[in-house]
Amino acid sequence: MRSVGVCFVLICSFASVTLAQTSTPPPGNGSGQSLPALDHFDAGKVDSSVDPCTDFYQYSCNRWIKDNPVPPDEIFWGAFGKLRFWNEAVLHQTLLEIAGKPAAERTPLEQKLGDYWTACLDEKQRNQTALDTLRPALDRIDHMRDKAEIAEVVAELHLSVNGAWNPSDPETYAALFGFGAQPDFHDTTKVIPQFDQGGMGLPEKGFYLETDAKSQAILKEYVAHIARTLELSGEPPAKAQTAAQAVLNMETAMAKSAMDVVKRRDPRNLDNEMSLAEVEKLAPDFDFARYLERVNAPASSKFIVTTPDFFRGLERLITDEPLDHWKAYLKWQLLAGSAPQMSDDFVQEDFEFVGKTLFGAKQLLPLWRRCVQAEDRDLGQALGQAYVARVFPAASKEQVKQLVGNIEAALSADIDASDWMSPETKKQAHVKLAMQIDKIGYPDHWRDYSALEIRPDNHLENVRRAAAFEFHRQMRKIGKPLDRTEWTMTPPTVNAYEDAQTNTINFPAGILEPPFFDPTRDDSVNYGAIGAVIGHETIHGFDDQGRKFDENGNLRDWWTSTDAEAYEKRGDCIAEEYTEFVPEAGIQQNGRLTQGENTGDNGGIHLALSALDADLKAKGGTLASKGEDGLTALQRFFLAYAGIWCSNVHPEMMRTLLLMDPHPLNKYRVNNVVSNMPEFAQAFSCHKGQPMVRKNVCRVW
Ligand SMILES: [Zn+2]
């Protein structure tokens, strides 16, 4: 149960820019290559033709929006994406240097980093070897004699395509279902196996079930894409066409028995513990014992099954669908999960549907960026060490640590000051806050990759071995105590997260750079930008999802019923406020889906502001103190906050986000938040009746 951070993972994975001076330099040509410029806070860049009290997002971002169109290989473009591009350029420089070193001078880690890079970039080798590499796995599926073998094939796919299942990462590919290691909901000292729904190629169940014209058009494109992909693997066109339709029918059936994104937000809906015998009863024709043996899962007396209905649905699919349909489905899962790491024809076909049709990108990312991203996924903690050494000084870590401490102190004071919580609940909230672990920059102990073999001559084999390495690493956690120090994001990631079960907040070094954290700017700017992000993650532990977990990460109700009721009422106000029609996308934003994020945004900025206030006072200043630009600290704080959300997004992507992303669109992250704050009205002298002064103010924290 992870509330993944302030930036949606799917956006980040596509986020980039193609600048003329840095696009696709030839491999090995690393010397003297300069990094792109980072954005720094600039209060002069507002649109003075807009009244901040009418539309603060437009006032703060119009000029940025005009100057920063979505690059052709992007689907979404904002501060997160620009910093991500900078981080990738840093990693690129590092990898070019390592790959250029003579073999004898490399450390064992550099051998892996360098050889992965060399193989990934070698398009000639990828074009020659990718399909052959996959051939034994494709043959294995072709040679299936009956449906009893499904379990074994699924296990092989799980061990070779994208590795471990991460339920909070929609990019994770898991044929048929997800399987991984998760803390026990009621005793987080124990890690137990978990079965989760999965197996669908489209991002959310709604994509299969909506009947409007746009949804139907996407489904038609999807079938054509499946058919073309199967053809590329050698299926005759007519057979591929029939197989594609069968795949869509099977995935649609899975979608019907899957739990939707809103229901999944309540951990109590996912809390189903079962014995293996009970799991087997859900789908008697799936050989769970064989699957578990094949993936080398340690024995366990308990399993979490997040969505039992989904597994009951699988049983129907196994009984109803003929073996040929199953072969088509399993082949499609293998090919779809491998395509981005294969030869040009597969890469391009994958991009045409996923990149263009689903998300609206115009052009494929250059190869070097795709390789940096693949390497960050497969060797992220090895690459992350080099990243940290290059751009994340100890002084930054120290400064951020202080910010986090000040913001947590603000939450502590906020709990004390709240007039709607009883002393008992307040006491429990304090206990939980005190137990929270703050992780900043990078892990204390780096992952050991020595058992992972990486060679310079076959990229897809490296990727498949990395997937197996990760899956086995997850399996080894089962039955062992929970490691609260582990990171689920790599150090160069431009994101942050709170994890309710480990009771941690995590800020990778990748987001601790301008314009989020900027040592060249004053406190008001840093509290407005990274401070609001820190506040957001801190509040996640106390949002409508996080509040259901206690100080040890256990799913336990520590609220008195009256306080819980008061909380829900406040939460409803937020959910209703954010439920509104988005004209650019033609659909509604779902305030229930975004409730946790909205709570984090609204509460987080309050914490950041009180911490700034206290910090300024301690240094002899006030929020009203003016800087050289003539703006007060309070004004700079709000402008810095808006600045991190300035963005451009394609309508296709906007629609996809509204259907599945628990984060609201960026414009609402600014305007809804500030219009709930009297401090904002004060900063920009807004008065009652203006759009940025809300009649019905919502506040949880
Ligand atoms: Zn969040």
Side-chain angles (χ1 to χ4, degrees):
M1 278 313 309
R2 290 186 172 97
S3 311
V4 173
V6 293
C7 163
F8 185 45
V9 277
L10 204 61
I11 292 171
C12 294
S13 69
F14 279 86
S16 61
V17 71
T18 311
L19 299 175
Q21 72 272 25
T22 54
S23 67
T24 330
N29 179 21
S31 53
Q33 188 207 354
S34 62
L35 292 173
L38 280 168
D39 270 357
H40 291 271
F41 175 78
D42 180 355
K45 283 205 169 165
V46 296
D47 180 352
S48 44
S49 73
V50 177
D51 183 345
C53 302
T54 303
D55 188 331
F56 191 55
Y57 181 73
Q58 297 295 341
Y59 173 76
S60 311
C61 294
N62 265 357
R63 286 182 57 186
W64 190 99
I65 289 169
K66 197 167 147 274
D67 294 346
N68 293 275
V70 185
D73 51 6
E74 295 293 342
I75 51 182
F76 186 101
W77 196 231
F80 285 85
K82 281 184 101 169
L83 176 53
R84 175 161 169 144
F85 178 66
W86 186 86
N87 285 345
E88 286 177 4
V90 171
L91 298 176
H92 185 211
Q93 282 190 343
T94 309
L95 287 164
L96 289 175
E97 281 170 22
I98 293 172
K101 270 191 183 180
E105 287 173 24
R106 293 177 183 175
T107 64
L109 218 47
E110 286 176 336
Q111 175 274 317
K112 291 186 205 299
L113 290 170
D115 286 351
Y116 188 104
W117 178 250
T118 302
C120 186
L121 236 54
D122 187 346
E123 281 185 296
K124 197 173 152 209
Q125 159 265 119
R126 285 172 66 153
N127 288 335
Q128 281 169 356
T129 60
L131 196 52
D132 288 344
T133 302
L134 231 45
R135 189 54 67 194
L138 288 164
D139 288 347
R140 170 75 188 88
I141 296 169
D142 272 332
H143 295 154
M144 285 170 75
R145 277 158 312 175
D146 70 69
K147 289 187 266 181
E149 292 174 54
I150 292 170
E152 190 165 323
V153 174
V154 168
E156 281 164 19
L157 293 184
H158 286 182
L159 285 171
S160 58
V161 185
N162 258 9
W165 172 244
N166 175 357
S168 63
D169 180 357
E171 268 206 327
T172 314
Y173 232 95
L176 205 55
F177 57 78
F179 183 68
Q182 285 289 311
D184 187 327
F185 274 116
H186 304 280
D187 178 6
T188 54
T189 62
K190 295 190 175 69
V191 177
I192 59 176
Q194 173 178 285
F195 286 103
D196 194 12
Q197 66 189 36
M200 293 162 277
L202 294 174
E204 221 279 309
K205 66 179 281 180
F207 278 82
Y208 295 91
L209 306 178
E210 299 291 340
T211 51
D212 60 282
K214 177 74 187 164
S215 304
Q216 291 299 310
I218 291 176
L219 286 179
K220 210 172 144 201
E221 288 282 338
Y222 185 47
V223 175
H225 163 59
I226 299 171
R228 282 193 300 267
T229 305
L230 290 169
E231 267 186 63
L232 287 176
S233 78
E235 298 282 344
K239 196 181 165 200
Q241 195 59 47
T242 321
Q245 191 57 50
V247 170
L248 178 69
N249 295 345
M250 289 175 72
E251 291 189 1
T252 304
M254 290 178 201
K256 283 182 183 155
S257 46
M259 194 186 285
D260 72 47
V261 273
V262 174
K263 225 174 151 198
R264 283 179 69 88
R265 288 201 64 255
D266 187 341
R268 291 173 302 199
N269 291 331
L270 306 174
D271 173 25
N272 307 294
E273 277 183 4
M274 292 186 186
S275 66
L276 181 56
E278 286 168 322
V279 176
E280 286 169 334
K281 261 188 218 148
L282 296 171
D285 282 294
F286 183 85
D287 193 342
F288 283 98
R290 196 161 164 191
Y291 171 84
L292 293 169
E293 190 201 331
R294 185 68 186 76
V295 298
N296 219 2
S300 177
S301 59
K302 271 199 278 193
F303 290 76
I304 303 168
V305 181
T306 54
T307 49
D309 279 347
F310 182 82
F311 288 87
R312 290 187 190 102
L314 285 191
E315 173 63 15
R316 288 193 293 277
L317 273 181
I318 296 174
T319 9
D320 295 353
E321 296 289 339
L323 181 62
D324 272 356
H325 289 181
W326 274 97
K327 288 183 180 178
Y329 170 77
L330 293 166
K331 262 192 198 178
W332 158 244
Q333 290 287 313
L334 169 65
L335 292 165
S338 310
Q341 313 303 332
M342 291 175 70
S343 41
D344 288 339
D345 45 359
F346 280 96
V347 170
Q348 196 59 39
E349 178 56 42
D350 177 72
F351 170 72
E352 289 294 325
F353 180 74
V354 179
K356 274 193 189 169
T357 306
L358 278 184
F359 300 124
K362 306 276 182 283
Q363 183 179 304
L364 183 66
L365 284 180
L367 182 62
W368 74 265
R369 297 203 51 202
R370 285 181 275 135
C371 287
V372 165
Q373 291 177 7
E375 190 143 0
D376 177 51
R377 183 196 62 203
D378 287 341
L379 287 165
Q381 287 208 8
L383 195 51
Q385 293 177 39
Y387 173 84
V388 165
R390 240 179 151 102
V391 297
F392 188 61
S396 287
K397 182 164 173 157
E398 195 42 49
Q399 236 179 308
V400 174
K401 207 171 140 189
Q402 277 178 20
L403 284 172
V404 173
N406 294 348
I407 284 162
E408 285 173 342
L411 178 56
S412 181
D414 191 50
I415 292 168
D416 284 334
S418 93
D419 56 6
W420 55 275
M421 282 167 94
S422 66
E424 292 152 86
T425 308
K426 282 183 181 179
K427 195 176 153 204
Q428 288 294 317
H430 280 300
V431 171
K432 175 163 180 173
L433 179 60
M435 283 280 285
Q436 191 174 63
I437 297 180
D438 314 324
K439 293 193 280 180
I440 295 155
Y442 51 89
D444 294 339
H445 307 286
W446 295 101
R447 189 166 300 165
D448 177 7
Y449 288 101
S450 53
L452 172 59
E453 188 195 356
I454 298 293
R455 298 163 52 101
D457 55 1
N458 187 321
H459 174 59
L460 188 57
E461 270 179 9
N462 286 339
V463 170
R464 287 167 64 82
R465 277 193 297 265
F469 173 83
E470 176 59 14
F471 204 101
H472 289 309
R473 193 180 73 80
Q474 294 292 337
M475 290 302 103
R476 280 197 300 276
K477 294 183 193 173
I478 293 171
K480 304 229 174 74
L482 175 66
D483 178 7
R484 291 181 72 197
T485 68
E486 191 189 349
W487 286 69
T488 57
M489 283 180 185
T490 65
T493 307
V494 186
N495 209 336
Y497 68 99
E498 178 267 348
D499 181 348
Q501 288 183 292
T502 52
N503 193 10
T504 58
I505 48 173
N506 306 262
F507 305 95
I511 199 173
L512 304 176
E513 296 286 345
F516 297 89
F517 171 66
D518 193 344
T520 70
R521 295 295 188 270
D522 61 304
D523 284 337
S524 58
V525 169
N526 279 308
Y527 276 97
I530 196 68
V533 173
I534 296 167
H536 173 105
E537 300 305 340
T538 308
I539 291 292
H540 267 321
F542 300 86
D543 70 14
D544 61 311
Q545 198 174 54
R547 77 172 189 85
K548 291 169 184 153
F549 294 88
D550 70 10
E551 70 276 15
N552 294 311
N554 293 325
L555 191 53
R556 179 175 70 80
D557 192 359
W558 47 271
W559 294 68
T560 67
S561 57
T562 319
D563 291 346
E565 227 170 85
Y567 187 100
E568 295 295 333
K569 219 172 131 197
R570 286 164 173 266
D572 288 347
C573 180
I574 290 268
E576 280 155 28
E577 182 186 304
Y578 280 79
T579 301
E580 58 184 296
F581 187 72
V582 179
E584 305 93 307
I587 52 174
Q588 181 135 312
Q589 179 162 269
N590 182 345
R592 284 286 163 204
L593 174 60
T594 58
Q595 187 176 344
E597 297 304 327
N598 304 335
T599 307
D601 283 348
N602 281 278
I605 194 170
H606 272 289
L607 300 186
L609 184 54
S610 358
L612 169 64
D613 187 26
D615 206 346
L616 287 176
K617 277 180 188 147
K619 291 171 184 163
T622 69
L623 289 169
S625 310
K626 284 191 178 169
E628 278 171 23
D629 53 13
L631 295 169
T632 64
L634 191 58
Q635 287 170 326
R636 288 167 67 78
F637 172 87
F638 282 113
L639 285 168
Y641 174 73
I644 63 171
W645 300 116
C646 297
S647 61
N648 279 300
V649 56
H650 287 315
E652 291 91 340
M653 184 59 186
M654 197 183 276
R655 188 177 178 283
T656 301
L657 289 173
L658 286 167
L659 288 172
M660 63 173 297
D661 187 3
H663 302 85
L665 297 175
N666 285 3
K667 185 175 91 177
Y668 303 83
R669 299 190 84 157
V670 175
N671 284 352
N672 287 48
V673 165
V674 300
S675 61
N676 279 324
M677 298 179 76
E679 299 90 339
F680 173 79
Q682 185 203 333
F684 290 91
S685 308
C686 305
H687 49 79
K688 250 197 213 160
Q690 288 189 294
M692 293 297 101
V693 183
R694 205 168 275 277
K695 253 193 244 154
N696 180 24
V697 167
C698 297
R699 171 131 191 219
V700 179
W701 295 106

